[in-house]
Amino acid sequence: MTRLTLTSIVLATMFSLGMAESACEKNVKVTSQGDLDALKSCATFKGIITMDTVPAGQLRLEGVEQLIGDIIMSGNVDLVSFSAPNLQKVDGQIKIINHTILNKLEFPLLTETNGFHVAVVPALEKINFPAGLTTHPESFAGF
């Protein structure tokens, strides 16, 4: 039988908490849905999430309620839809650029962002913010 001392239990707990924290505080270069799935346990995420030429038709950012950083999506030629069903606040920018077949963006709980920029997204007909997005009017670009 293995005996654990109080010191080893405390050290193991501190190590695991530190690992969880660092998983929620970093810049992420998304190469597949799995990279976004790795963020599910982060209610608050600090860093820049970049999705650049990801070979996927749908991407979903689940679990993250607050982002302290940016979402940058660029040149995902296969992307048809993106959703962030839990995202409420972005203390940074959301930039969606060069997505020729993207026709669905879902941010159902988003109420606050510092900027929202959309450019060269010809298939996107409308974006809804059912929770009532509030931001500075000059923070919206590309509409």
Side-chain angles (χ1 to χ4, degrees), residues 65-111:
E65 297 172 5
Q66 179 180 4
L67 172 62
I68 301 169
D70 301 323
I71 293 176
I72 302 171
M73 299 170 56
S74 177
N76 298 296
V77 296
D78 298 324
L79 191 63
V80 176
S81 71
F82 175 78
S83 66
N86 308 106
L87 191 61
Q88 299 169 24
K89 180 180 179 182
V90 177
D91 188 9
Q93 304 277 322
I94 298 173
K95 296 180 182 181
I96 303 165
I97 303 163
N98 293 328
H99 293 87
T100 55
I101 63 173
L102 179 68
N103 64 23
K104 188 174 187 181
L105 279 176
E106 293 180 326
F107 296 95
L109 299 179
L110 187 64
T111 58

Side-chain angles (χ1 to χ4, degrees), residues 4-142:
L4 295 175
T5 65
L6 182 57
T7 304
S8 61
I9 293 171
V10 169
L11 288 174
T13 302
M14 288 173 57
F15 179 75
S16 66
L17 289 174
M19 292 297 286
E21 243 180 90
S22 65
C24 298
E25 294 184 22
K26 62 182 179 178
N27 292 336
V28 175
K29 170 97 168 92
V30 176
T31 58
S32 70
Q33 179 61 48
D35 295 324
L36 292 175
D37 290 344
L39 306 178
K40 281 184 181 180
S41 64
C42 302
T44 299
F45 182 81
K46 295 179 184 178
I48 298 170
I49 300 172
T50 305
M51 292 166 261
D52 183 20
T53 63
V54 180
Q58 299 178 3
L59 291 172
R60 187 171 174 92
L61 175 63
E62 291 184 275
V64 178
E65 297 172 5
Q66 179 180 4
L67 172 62
I68 301 169
D70 301 323
I71 293 176
I72 302 171
M73 299 170 56
S74 177
N76 298 296
V77 296
D78 298 324
L79 191 63
V80 176
S81 71
F82 175 78
S83 66
N86 308 106
L87 191 61
Q88 299 169 24
K89 180 180 179 182
V90 177
D91 188 9
Q93 304 277 322
I94 298 173
K95 296 180 182 181
I96 303 165
I97 303 163
N98 293 328
H99 293 87
T100 55
I101 63 173
L102 179 68
N103 64 23
K104 188 174 187 181
L105 279 176
E106 293 180 326
F107 296 95
L109 299 179
L110 187 64
T111 58
E112 190 175 337
T113 184
N114 289 346
F116 197 96
H117 180 83
V118 177
V120 191
V121 189
L124 186 64
E125 293 182 14
K126 94 177 157 175
I127 304 172
N128 288 327
F129 300 102
L133 180 64
T134 57
T135 187
H136 303 290
E138 64 272 8
S139 297
F140 280 87

